[in-house]
Amino acid sequence: MINIIPLQQQLESRFGGDGVAYFAPGRINLIGEHTDYNGGFVFPGAVDCGISLVMRPNGGTEVNLYAVDLDRSCRFDIHDEEGPSDIHFRYIYGVVREMLAAGVAVRGFDAVYGGDVPLGAGMSSSAALECCFAFALNDTYGGNLDRMTLARIGQATEHKYVGVKCGIMDQFASMHGRACSLMRLDCNSGEFDYFPWNPADYRLVLVNSCVKHELVGSPYNERRESCERVAQMAGVKNLRYCDWERLETLKPKLSETDYRRARYVLGEVDRVMAVSEALQRGDYEEVGRQMYLTHEGLSRDYEVSCEELDFLVDEARRLGVSGARLMGGGFGGCTINLVHNDLVDRFLVEVQESYKARFGVDCKPIKVTIGEGAMRL
Ligand code: GLA
């Protein structure tokens, strides 16, 4: 989490007056990738980095924003039907509009914000941004919306104002995170459980490929469409309700691509359950084995990997890391690695060297600390 004093100083110098501070985190996901919009399970946790903001109502209907990291500002009226064209500010405009639509009496405000969650790394910087504003507006204007509703407001913002047909995982995790716990969410029912995450002998390490991950304009929505086509042909609401037998019966009628997409999703739903059981036994080697299987599926069947991510996963395997896979939407961003304590230092040194030798650019390791969900500071 960043120091908020500079944010307060900016708010004071740009707009005058003091603000209330809020924070919402990014997330990791142990397993359960591209399952959320298929009604499956996900296994995320919030991290200790994210977006922080300071905000104060200004008595009018205008919203004044300043993003310190981008050094860009924006102004719009809460009643404006179009909103800003700068995609970055559309995330906030969308949250404001969705909060109003949900009946929260949002009025004009001034806000300054910044963060420490790497952008485009697949750690859900955009969900952190949406959730931070949704949480802050709910608190400031007495909205009384619960955390799941606020998460859905973030998701609706992505759908309607940004054009990414994402699932609920990222916003859910940013809202519900708890220190030292991962969460298993059933995306069909919305039910979830906390799983303590405190392995004595292992660490989670992310390796950012620094290939910019950007879901806006990526084939993310096409993946979702494939899944929806198969579900429709199977006569079910979503792929969670499609079993292996049904998929095999349908196979002759499906395009080869759609079949492989669905095969990945069904496999991933099974893998989340296998990981839940392995965690209950404390069997981290099995957790890691499932992570490698997920990566194979994401790379070959779901085709959301890239050369750099495949290389990082192969390197992890070669160096004896217990589990590794690309994390998040794909097309760049991070790998998540389950690494035995004895191996962490060597892995980090060697993976950075070999990545540089192979691609001529640096990858960036990030040690993960599981933190709390959105909060007022
Ligand atoms: C992105 C989306 C999520 C989820 C993941 C893949 O992070 O925002 O909803 O679909 O990709 O698991």
Side-chain angles (χ1 to χ4, degrees):
M1 189 186 302
I2 57 167
N3 180 357
I4 59 147
I5 292 171
L7 300 184
Q8 290 285 18
Q9 286 165 346
Q10 285 286 343
L11 189 76
E12 169 75 44
S13 67
R14 283 171 186 270
F15 308 114
D18 246 14
V20 178
Y22 297 88
F23 168 79
R27 59 107 188 90
I28 53 129
N29 185 27
L30 184 65
I31 200 153
E33 219 63 90
H34 288 275
T35 44
D36 55 357
Y37 53 83
N38 287 300
F41 294 95
V42 291
F43 224 115
V47 287
D48 63 349
C49 55
I51 299 287
S52 300
L53 69 80
V54 289
M55 170 187 287
R56 56 174 213 115
N58 58 24
T61 57
E62 237 177 35
V63 174
N64 295 299
L65 302 169
Y66 178 64
V68 286
D69 302 326
L70 307 174
D71 188 22
R72 291 216 299 269
S73 51
C74 178
R75 166 179 302 182
F76 59 83
D77 192 280
I78 59 167
H79 301 303
D80 180 359
E81 296 288 329
E82 291 279 310
S85 53
D86 183 336
I87 192 96
H88 175 79
F89 293 110
R90 292 192 67 74
Y91 287 101
I92 301 161
Y93 170 72
V95 169
V96 168
R97 300 291 289 177
E98 290 296 302
M99 298 289 289
L100 284 167
V104 180
V106 175
R107 307 288 295 159
F109 61 89
D110 307 325
V112 172
Y113 60 95
D116 53 358
V117 58
L119 298 179
M123 293 177 72
S124 299
S125 49
S126 54
L129 182 63
E130 294 145 16
C131 289
C132 198
F133 273 89
F135 190 90
L137 292 174
N138 188 53
D139 188 59
T140 305
Y141 295 102
N144 278 324
L145 300 179
D146 63 26
R147 285 177 183 259
M148 196 58 117
T149 307
L150 294 173
R152 292 201 193 286
I153 282 177
Q155 183 193 23
T157 297
E158 299 262 357
H159 287 204
K160 297 191 210 165
Y161 303 85
V162 187
V164 176
K165 301 279 182 204
C166 66
I168 192 66
M169 168 168 73
D170 305 350
Q171 294 80 6
F172 162 81
S174 184
M175 281 293 172
H176 293 84
R178 187 182 283 177
C180 304
S181 289
L182 299 180
M183 300 163 280
R184 186 185 62 190
L185 170 69
D186 177 338
C187 298
N188 256 347
S189 67
E191 281 166 19
F192 60 96
D193 299 299
Y194 287 96
F195 280 64
W197 176 258
N198 49 12
D201 300 328
Y202 296 84
R203 285 220 60 164
L204 283 176
V205 178
L206 305 183
V207 180
N208 188 354
S209 65
C210 297
V211 174
K212 208 70 171 164
H213 147 114
E214 182 66 88
L215 293 184
V216 181
S218 80
Y220 180 93
N221 292 351
E222 283 169 26
R223 297 297 180 280
R224 184 172 182 150
E225 282 158 21
S226 276
C227 296
E228 285 170 356
R229 255 193 313 273
V230 179
Q232 199 187 11
M233 287 179 75
V236 292
K237 182 178 150 212
N238 56 42
L239 282 183
R240 169 80 175 285
Y241 296 110
C242 180
D243 58 21
W244 286 103
E245 211 185 314
R246 185 112 192 86
L247 181 62
E248 289 310 312
T249 318
L250 267 184
K251 188 176 174 185
K253 293 194 199 144
L254 300 175
S255 72
E256 209 261 328
T257 304
D258 283 359
Y259 170 74
R260 282 190 290 118
R261 305 293 191 246
R263 178 169 70 184
Y264 162 75
V265 172
L266 266 58
E268 187 68 351
V269 172
D270 292 348
R271 283 186 288 272
V272 179
M273 297 324 276
V275 161
S276 310
E277 283 164 24
L279 278 181
Q280 267 149 355
R281 298 194 301 273
D283 184 353
Y284 292 97
E285 289 302 314
E286 176 60 16
V287 172
R289 211 177 65 79
Q290 297 292 334
M291 291 167 74
Y292 279 122
L293 291 174
T294 292
H295 186 78
E296 260 169 49
L298 286 168
S299 182
R300 294 190 196 151
D301 279 349
Y302 220 64
E303 295 180 287
V304 293
S305 188
C306 61
E307 204 189 337
E308 291 85 348
L309 291 170
D310 287 346
F311 178 84
L312 287 174
V313 170
D314 288 345
E315 280 297 280
R317 200 193 303 266
R318 184 179 71 79
L319 294 165
V321 168
S322 306
R325 62 179 198 79
L326 77 84
M327 189 183 77
F331 312 105
C334 289
T335 58
I336 179 167
N337 302 269
L338 181 62
V339 194
H340 197 278
N341 288 341
D342 299 342
L343 195 61
V344 172
D345 293 339
R346 187 163 79 85
F347 168 59
L348 293 184
V349 170
E350 296 207 10
V351 80
Q352 287 181 89
E353 276 175 14
S354 59
Y355 193 82
K356 179 94 185 197
R358 173 75 176 74
F359 297 106
V361 289
D362 291 320
C363 62
K364 290 208 177 67
I366 305 168
K367 287 189 185 169
V368 172
T369 305
I370 306 295
E372 299 285 334
M375 64 181 91
R376 180 177 173 159
L377 296 172

